[in-house]
Structure formats: C-alpha cells, structure tokens
Amino acid sequence: MESPRRNEAELLARARGGDAAAFDLLVAEYRSELTAHCYRMLGSPQDAEDAVQESLLSAWKGLAGFEGRSSLRTWLYRISTNACLRMSARRPRRLLSPDQGPARRDTADLGEPVTGPVWLEPWPDDVPADEPDPAASYLRREGVELAFVAALQHLPGTQRAVLILREVLEFSAAEVAHQLDTTPASVNSALQRARKAVEQRVPPVSQRAELTALGAEGRRELVDAFVSAWERADVDGIVALLADDARFTMPPLPAWFDGRADVARFLTERVFATAWRLKPMWANGQPALACYQQSPDDGRFLLGAINVLSLRAGRITELTGFLDPEVHRRFGLPRELREENPGHFSPER
C-alpha cells in the first residue's frame, strides 16, 4: 500500500506545477475539519463554507510559498484561521436569543423577525458514528455544541482562535503562535482569558457527557417521549420532560420564553394552534427535531422549524428553534413531510 505521506508529497509536487486536480485531491481530506473549525470561529455553516472557499483559493495561489516547515494541515489551519478573523471583523457577532434581549411573557407578540447575519446557526450533524476519518472526531466533540459555539462568539477574535486551536484542535502553543504571528507567551495569556470567559457561559457538564450518562436507551426514550407528547399536543407531557429553568427560543423571532411555566403557556396559546409532525435528527452533536406544521389551507405538513435540544441530568433545558428556511435548506430536509410516521430516534450518530 502506498504511503499517505508519499502520496501527499507527490500531489504537492504536481499541485506546485499547476495541476489544479492534484491540489483538490491534496486538500480534500482536510475540507470537512476546516469547515468545522470555521464554523466554531464564525457561528454559521454558510459563513464557514465561504471562509473555507476563500482559504483554499489563497492556499492555491500561495502554494509556492509553502516550504514544508510545518505540516500541510497546520499551514491550511493558519490560512483558514486568518480568513475567519478577517471575516469576523467585517460582520456582526452571531448570537442566541438570550444575548439579543430579555425574555418575554406575552405570547401574543413575538416581535418582527430580526434579519441579517446576527443569529447563531445550527451545524448539520451528519457524520456516521463509526466514521474513521479523524476529521469526524472533531465534529463529534464538544467543539460544535451550541452553548460552546455561542460562548465563543463573545470572545475577541484572537482569543477565540487561540481557544479553538489549543483546546479543541490541540495545537501546541508554539504552533498557534506561528499561525497567529505572535509569541507562545501571548498565546498562553490569551488562552487563560478565553477559558475564563467561556467557562462563565457554558454549562459545567458538556452535552456529550450528558448524552453519555443518559445512555443509548435513555436518549431514545427521552426523544420518543418528547415527539409523542408534541404530536399529541400534550403540554403537560412536554413540561414533564423540561427542567425548571428551561428556555424556548426561536430565531429570527426576537421573542423567547424562560422557565417551565412561561414555556408551557407559549405552547398552549401559540404552538399547538395547529397540528405537528416531528422527525428526529441530530445537530451540533445534540438531539434535534425537524418540525413539520400542518397547513390550515390544504392539510400538508410543511417544515416550520429545526429544534435543537440541550439536556441536563436527563431533562431538557433548552429548546432552540431555528425558523429560517435558509437554515433548513442547509440540512437538506424535505419541505413537506409525506410519510405518515417519520420514524423513531436513533440514539447513535
């Protein structure tokens, strides 16, 4: 079998000679992990794809300057990180609903949609559980959980980059310093500040740990119970699955509801005015649901939201509903649910 390093060296030589196809093969194995990295940096899959495209174009144009003193992967991360820093400097931070304004109690007024690149968006989690590619492990780690990615957006760009490169991707301080044109001492200082800021915004237990503690059967039972209660419009059944401090958000609408009582009232007064069908899925390494709402005109079930569930000790703490059709399209979901029974939740990815 041909050595991967030898193959990479041959592809690199051909790419330096102007072979675009060889360059595409050379960077193909890094594309998914670079996209995940840019998502952590920018909080949007679309922005991440744009940053990766810009990065790979820069890498192609600058390939003659790659001297091999670092690995190709490290070099590509340097280019993509700096592309993200430039992009984030030009755009507003992407945030979740509680960062945009206070919770509401009036269910009659959910506000006008806040448009533009201001909302954190979910990450399509379609990596198989047994995927051997190292890039897949990056997608399954805490690094794409909603709370973590949301917390990252509150950091200055350089601190954000340092935390991701050091903590998630496990580059050394010296490697990160080279990527960011700074010193290891500055990297370590930025890392300490970033850790402290993020710890104040994320739960003490990661979603990965929560899901592991729940176990495959527990995950299946929780999601199946939620789907069943939602499709029956059983508010009491849903509330029984919620933590006392549960939140329900729905960007791009500014309204969100805080606590079981207010969430229950919102469900009763607004959500279940029509029937729903739910299709279980995964997003950001967390259980999620594609929510199809029945049209009052013709009875069809049309995609209305993607709800990502966050858990604590077997209870649901966050229902993060994404209503933007552009977000739905990135998940490749059908606009209409035609099947009578969308199936049961698979506890494994």
Side-chain angles (χ1 to χ4, degrees), residues 30 66 142-143 260 277 293 322:
Y30 303 110
F66 174 58
E142 291 87 339
R260 290 171 76 179
R277 294 291 180 269
Q293 186 176 24
F322 296 93

Side-chain angles (χ1 to χ4, degrees), residues 3-157:
S3 166
R5 288 190 176 182
R6 179 182 175 186
N7 186 50
E8 182 174 284
E10 291 177 355
L11 288 173
L12 181 59
R14 286 166 50 192
R16 280 176 166 156
D19 188 337
F23 177 79
D24 290 341
L25 289 172
L26 186 66
V27 300
E29 66 176 292
Y30 303 110
R31 184 182 288 270
S32 61
E33 61 173 295
L34 289 172
T35 307
H37 172 58
C38 292
Y39 170 69
R40 297 181 189 104
M41 286 288 296
L42 300 170
S44 161
Q46 183 59 56
D47 286 356
E49 290 173 7
D50 292 345
V52 170
Q53 286 296 105
E54 177 184 325
S55 301
L56 294 182
L57 179 60
S58 295
W60 168 246
K61 291 180 177 179
L63 196 58
F66 174 58
E67 300 176 351
R69 286 182 292 183
S70 65
S71 69
L72 178 66
R73 176 174 177 267
T74 299
W75 184 65
L76 291 172
Y77 267 102
R78 178 180 185 177
I79 295 172
S80 63
T81 298
N82 283 285
C84 289
L85 290 172
R86 290 192 300 272
M87 189 176 291
S88 62
R90 300 192 303 263
R91 303 184 182 186
R93 292 182 302 173
R94 289 182 178 266
L95 304 173
L96 291 173
S97 300
D99 301 313
Q100 299 280 4
R104 300 193 182 191
R105 303 205 67 198
D106 182 6
T107 64
D109 180 16
L110 303 182
E112 292 298 318
V114 179
T115 57
V118 297
W119 298 106
L120 184 75
E121 296 175 350
W123 173 261
D125 192 353
D126 56 358
V127 180
D130 58 352
E131 175 60 61
D133 183 354
S137 67
Y138 300 135
L139 306 186
R140 291 198 301 270
R141 293 179 63 174
E142 291 87 339
V144 291
E145 291 180 4
L146 270 180
F148 178 66
V149 177
L152 289 173
Q153 307 314 303
H154 289 271
L155 297 176

Side-chain angles (χ1 to χ4, degrees), residues 7 16 68 134 174 180 192 198 216 262 304 312:
N7 186 50
R16 280 176 166 156
L180 299 177
Q192 289 180 358
V198 167
D262 284 354
R312 185 181 67 237

